[in-house]
Amino acid sequence: MSITANDPTRKTWLEVPENSDFPIQNIPFGVFLTRDDIITIGTRIGDTAIDLGALHQLGYFEGIPLTDDIFLQDTLNDFISDGKKTWRLVRNRIADIFDKNNGKLRDHEEHRKVVLFGLDEIEMQLPVQVGDYTDFYSSKEHATNVGSMFRDPENALLPNWLHIPVGYHGRSSSIIPSGIPVHRPKGQTKPKDADQPVFGPSKRVDFELEMAFITTDANHLGEPIPIDEAEDYIFGLVLFNDWSARDIQTWEYVPLGPFLAKNFASSISPWIVTLDALEPFRIESPKPEVELLPYLQSSGKKSFDIELEVFIQPENGEETKVSQSNFKHMYWNMSQQLAHHTVNGCPVISGDMMGSGTISGPTPDSYGSMLELSWKGEKPVKLNDGTTRTFIEDNDTVTMRGFCKRENYRIGFGEVSTKLLPVFEPKKK
Ligand code: MN
């Protein structure tokens, strides 16, 4: 089935600001609370949010096999379970409804009133109930930087890294949408020259610039997903800030990997941009540097050219861009990650979230964490207001943005923006 929703020449009757991340060719999916306090599934064109539940009730999806309440839910999990064919039919239909030359909704004021919302009238929610969250470690530049800092620059990559998309199982209960602030975590650390650990606020709170993909029901227990089929089970992507406490991480991570340093929060952008919408921006992954085992050999353009930016904004100050990277730098692509994740028969279900790992590029201005940008605190990063940062300070806001670009054509993710609050203090009774 062709993806007519991607037609680059299509224009819409809705107003779309120049350089919007959300032209009619994007049609992402999200969940929002409306001005009437109703939760619904929706999409977005320009700065207009569109209530898909209302559109469905009014008959605009006639002919597409959908249950009556598919969009009247507080998560996208059931819609994602319907599978790729249905996602395509729905995106194509939305493109058709909002096509400049289609008067059906355009000229129906009563319908428009219940379907369309300004962004200031809605509140974005978490788009899926995340059953399981896995975080990979798939940027060679990031793994090399971290390995050089903490172990040995001569042997920065551990022997398995070029053979396995390394990952760990994270915690889904602390995945939150953009806009929800996060408290600086407390924890156990061991200062460099101390012989005993101490307890207190983390002094090295960091962001990790990542993207995450969201899956549909993919396989049963015991059944691996072949690498060539992996993309059929990927619904779409979001921006992902995997908050990290480096001092807690350094002390706790051997031998089982990160634990409390990572599970206090991970923030995501609220609109899921579908893999279909990203089709025009496919690009080849870096060539493997060693021969891969057959189940990990992928062919064709399996990566995507997505420009990524990170900004830090002090309280009451202006924001400073501190990093500029690209998803295409990932050494391991999503197909390899999903094939590897399931090769032992581990089941993946609708709403599972897979983080890419920190996306660092080859140059120092493209590193995806403060740990690397400030080289473990040795090179402070200068902000526009003259202050410097080695890690994130209380009341700083970290914002990540991402978009794909061709001449006159842009598909974006919006942003994930999170304020770091001081440590949590219990209210006095
Ligand atoms: Mn991470």
Side-chain angles (χ1 to χ4, degrees):
M1 187 198 332
S2 69
I3 312 173
T4 56
N6 287 3
D7 177 358
T9 64
R10 191 192 300 274
K11 300 243 184 313
T12 174
W13 50 265
L14 284 169
E15 200 183 315
V16 179
E18 212 177 322
N19 276 325
S20 172
D21 277 353
F22 303 97
I24 192 168
Q25 288 80 10
N26 190 338
I27 313 183
F29 292 93
V31 173
F32 57 81
L33 197 62
T34 70
R35 57 193 168 222
D36 310 313
D37 261 357
I38 292 167
I39 286 196
T40 185
I41 285 170
T43 186
R44 171 176 176 177
I45 296 175
D47 292 338
T48 303
I50 296 157
D51 182 341
L52 296 181
L55 267 183
H56 190 23
Q57 280 182 318
L58 294 168
Y60 283 85
F61 292 112
E62 205 183 351
I64 301 177
L66 295 166
T67 53
D68 289 347
D69 64 346
I70 192 72
F71 296 127
L72 301 173
Q73 305 199 20
D74 52 11
T75 71
L76 277 156
N77 295 55
D78 285 354
F79 175 64
I80 293 173
S81 285
D82 282 346
K84 187 160 230 161
K85 194 177 157 201
T86 303
W87 315 332
R88 259 185 204 171
L89 286 168
V90 168
R91 262 185 90 249
N92 287 349
R93 179 67 61 86
I94 294 168
D96 182 47
I97 296 166
F98 291 92
D99 187 296
K100 194 167 169 263
N101 300 313
N102 185 346
K104 193 174 172 194
L105 178 63
R106 183 191 66 200
D107 302 336
H108 201 307
E109 200 187 338
E110 293 299 306
H111 284 187
R112 280 202 325 267
K113 267 189 197 159
V114 296
V115 167
L116 306 181
F117 295 83
L119 294 180
D120 54 352
E121 297 175 300
I122 62 161
E123 188 183 299
M124 296 305 297
Q125 311 290 304
L126 210 54
V128 285
Q129 184 179 0
V130 184
D132 273 307
Y133 153 51
T134 300
D135 198 23
F136 287 93
Y137 189 57
S138 288
S139 152
K140 185 169 172 247
E141 288 79 3
H142 174 68
T144 304
N145 288 339
V146 173
S148 307
M149 270 184 252
F150 288 107
R151 286 189 310 273
D152 173 11
E154 298 301 310
N155 299 289
L157 289 181
L158 287 169
N160 60 5
W161 200 91
L162 292 173
H163 298 272
I164 289 177
V166 170
Y168 73 96
H169 286 123
R171 181 90 189 152
S172 55
S173 63
S174 53
I175 294 179
I176 49 175
S178 179
I180 305 287
V182 170
H183 284 282
R184 176 180 298 275
K186 288 184 188 174
Q188 193 179 130
T189 61
K190 188 167 162 296
K192 221 173 168 192
D193 301 316
D195 46 357
Q196 293 297 317
V198 298
F199 179 79
S202 167
K203 296 190 173 80
R204 296 191 152 201
V205 174
D206 200 356
F207 59 80
E208 288 189 333
L209 170 62
E210 304 194 22
M211 300 206 68
F213 69 85
I214 290 141
T215 64
T216 184
D217 305 284
N219 58 331
H220 297 291
L221 183 74
E223 297 174 3
I225 301 172
I227 192 158
D228 294 337
E229 293 171 24
E231 284 190 348
D232 291 343
Y233 302 106
I234 298 174
F235 177 63
L237 285 95
V238 291
L239 300 166
F240 191 86
N241 180 355
D242 188 21
W243 289 96
S244 300
R246 300 301 180 191
D247 43 359
I248 297 173
Q249 185 179 354
T250 308
W251 174 230
E252 76 174 0
Y253 86 103
V254 178
L256 288 185
F259 185 28
L260 304 184
K262 298 277 192 173
N263 69 6
F264 61 97
S266 301
S267 309
I268 66 168
S269 55
W271 293 106
I272 305 176
V273 176
T274 62
L275 210 58
D276 274 355
L278 297 173
E279 270 301 319
F281 304 98
R282 281 184 180 277
I283 193 166
E284 274 183 42
S285 307
K287 290 257 175 302
E289 293 174 25
V290 296
E291 177 151 342
L292 299 177
L293 290 166
Y295 79 94
L296 286 172
Q297 289 175 7
S298 79
S299 54
K301 296 178 175 174
K302 290 285 165 61
S303 192
F304 294 87
D305 186 357
I306 305 171
E307 295 185 38
L308 300 167
E309 300 170 324
V310 187
F311 301 81
I312 296 176
Q313 182 180 24
E315 193 163 41
N316 304 320
E318 58 170 310
E319 61 178 26
T320 302
K321 192 198 288 188
V322 295
S323 177
Q324 184 158 334
S325 187
N326 194 304
F327 187 66
K328 71 183 178 187
H329 297 311
M330 304 303 300
Y331 184 85
W332 296 100
N333 60 49
M334 295 181 280
S335 297
Q336 291 169 319
Q337 290 169 338
L338 198 49
H340 183 66
H341 201 309
T342 59
V343 76
N344 64 348
C346 171
V348 164
I349 62 165
S350 175
D352 281 0
M353 195 166 280
M354 312 280 176
S356 57
T358 306
I359 305 166
S360 292
T363 55
D365 61 348
S366 64
Y367 294 165
S369 64
M370 289 305 286
L371 178 69
E372 296 161 272
L373 289 165
S374 77
W375 209 256
K376 56 180 172 176
E378 291 168 4
K379 295 180 189 167
V381 174
K382 205 161 184 189
L383 302 190
N384 293 342
D385 66 1
T387 62
T388 59
R389 294 290 182 280
T390 48
F391 291 93
I392 304 303
E393 294 188 2
D394 286 352
N395 301 309
D396 282 352
T397 297
V398 175
T399 301
M400 297 174 177
R401 303 196 174 96
F403 54 91
C404 308
K405 207 171 58 185
R406 296 266 182 280
E407 315 83 64
N408 305 324
Y409 190 69
R410 175 182 170 116
I411 297 287
F413 291 79
E415 64 180 34
V416 52
S417 187
T418 315
K419 186 173 184 177
L420 181 70
L421 299 177
V423 286
F424 175 77
E425 299 291 353
K427 285 201 185 79
K428 293 204 176 75
K429 285 193 184 138

